[in-house]
Amino acid sequence: MIDTHSHILPYCDDGAGNWRQAEQMARQAAAQGVKIIVATPHHRKGIFLNRPSHIQSLVTRLNKQLSDAKIPIHICTGQEYHMTSMIMADLASGEIQSVERTKYILVELSSRNLPKLVLPYLRVLKSRGLIPIIVHPERYEPVIENLSLLSGWLREGAFFQLTAGSLTGQFGPAVQRTAYTIAEYNLAHLLASDAHDTSQRSNRLGQAYEMLEKEFGRELSDRLKNNASLLLQNQPLLIGVPKRLYRAKWYEFSFIK
């Protein structure tokens, strides 16, 4: 199993606070059957700045530590890029780190106030040959209130990655309902832990996959697992046939197949 999104690197953001905690997070992930973790420290979110060279140095050190400790986990490079008006400058200077040097990048939006230029920014990334994966869309308040936002982003070539903790109820019932709705209507393409530690924001990937399979069947959970592998191979992701949205708010959703 592959975890495509974890804040497992220490000394860079609000994830692991030290090397010992990073090792504990890896052990916790391995116990769930995870073999590969994509390290995705925040970049451009508040005070957090994590450029590719810094990420690579931390990943190299952590991989050696895990090898020495005989923990069967391999860490890949990645980044959670917080979309801001700096995107053009960051593209020009090479500050955006794709997932393990593929064409895929993880993009985070503001939880409460979405940037007005989301669609133009997505077009810019696409014009540079990059494919945006919008992380935890179910946790953005504007999306919870108006799921039709996802339709526009999907048309611009974006993919969506759910957080395991959203499905397990870690972020409350509204987020959980939204996550399940996104999954139910084939708008989810990846599932990741977004783990930050071993307690409050721990890795719940195995539990979330079990919940998805129980609720929607094995086809969906297998597709999301396969997409994680395809992502690291820089291959096109598998897409379920989405159902068409009639109304915008989760509590009055109506779809046609």
Side-chain angles (χ1 to χ4, degrees), residues 183-215:
E184 180 180 0
Y185 293 102
N186 281 328
L187 296 172
H189 306 102
L190 292 157
L191 177 65
S193 72
D194 195 10
H196 282 57
D197 52 45
T198 57
S199 54
Q200 297 300 314
R201 297 283 297 275
S202 61
N203 194 311
R204 307 184 185 197
L205 197 56
Q207 180 185 359
Y209 270 122
E210 290 176 3
M211 294 174 73
L212 278 180
E213 184 169 338
K214 181 179 179 180
E215 186 72 22

Side-chain angles (χ1 to χ4, degrees), residues 21-215:
Q21 188 178 41
E23 183 175 315
Q24 291 173 335
M25 289 175 67
R27 288 186 187 278
Q28 187 180 73
Q32 299 182 64
V34 174
K35 302 295 184 184
I36 298 174
I37 294 175
V38 179
T40 56
H42 293 290
H43 186 59
R44 290 292 176 201
K45 185 174 184 178
I47 63 172
F48 301 129
L49 294 174
N50 287 287
R51 298 176 173 88
S53 59
H54 179 55
I55 296 168
Q56 182 62 66
S57 67
L58 296 177
V59 165
T60 298
R61 173 168 174 172
L62 183 54
N63 272 325
K64 183 180 185 307
Q65 179 177 336
L66 298 183
S67 177
D68 291 345
K70 302 188 184 310
I71 299 174
I73 289 278
H74 178 72
I75 310 298
C76 294
T77 54
Q79 183 188 68
E80 188 177 49
Y81 183 76
H82 194 76
M83 188 176 282
T84 72
S85 59
M86 292 292 294
I87 188 170
M88 296 299 294
D90 288 339
L91 283 168
S93 63
E95 288 202 13
I96 296 180
Q97 168 74 60
S98 66
V99 175
E100 195 65 5
R101 295 175 294 280
T102 67
K103 59 190 173 185
Y104 296 101
I105 67 168
L106 299 183
V107 176
E108 182 180 30
L109 306 177
S110 171
S111 296
R112 293 181 174 83
N113 300 301
L114 296 178
K116 294 180 180 179
L117 298 178
V118 172
L119 292 178
Y121 288 162
L122 292 177
R123 293 179 194 126
V124 167
L125 293 173
K126 187 165 59 175
S127 72
R128 302 296 181 93
L130 296 171
I131 300 176
I133 298 172
I134 297 177
V135 301
H136 49 72
E138 74 281 2
R139 285 160 49 192
Y140 303 140
E141 290 182 8
V143 172
I144 293 172
E145 290 298 316
N146 184 1
L147 276 169
S148 66
L149 288 169
L150 300 183
S151 299
W153 302 344
L154 193 65
R155 284 194 296 269
E156 293 301 331
F159 291 98
F160 305 125
Q161 178 174 271
L162 297 179
T163 293
S166 298
L167 292 166
T168 63
Q170 181 181 8
F171 300 99
V175 170
Q176 187 177 41
R177 282 193 299 266
T178 305
Y180 270 95
T181 301
I182 290 172
E184 180 180 0
Y185 293 102
N186 281 328
L187 296 172
H189 306 102
L190 292 157
L191 177 65
S193 72
D194 195 10
H196 282 57
D197 52 45
T198 57
S199 54
Q200 297 300 314
R201 297 283 297 275
S202 61
N203 194 311
R204 307 184 185 197
L205 197 56
Q207 180 185 359
Y209 270 122
E210 290 176 3
M211 294 174 73
L212 278 180
E213 184 169 338
K214 181 179 179 180
E215 186 72 22

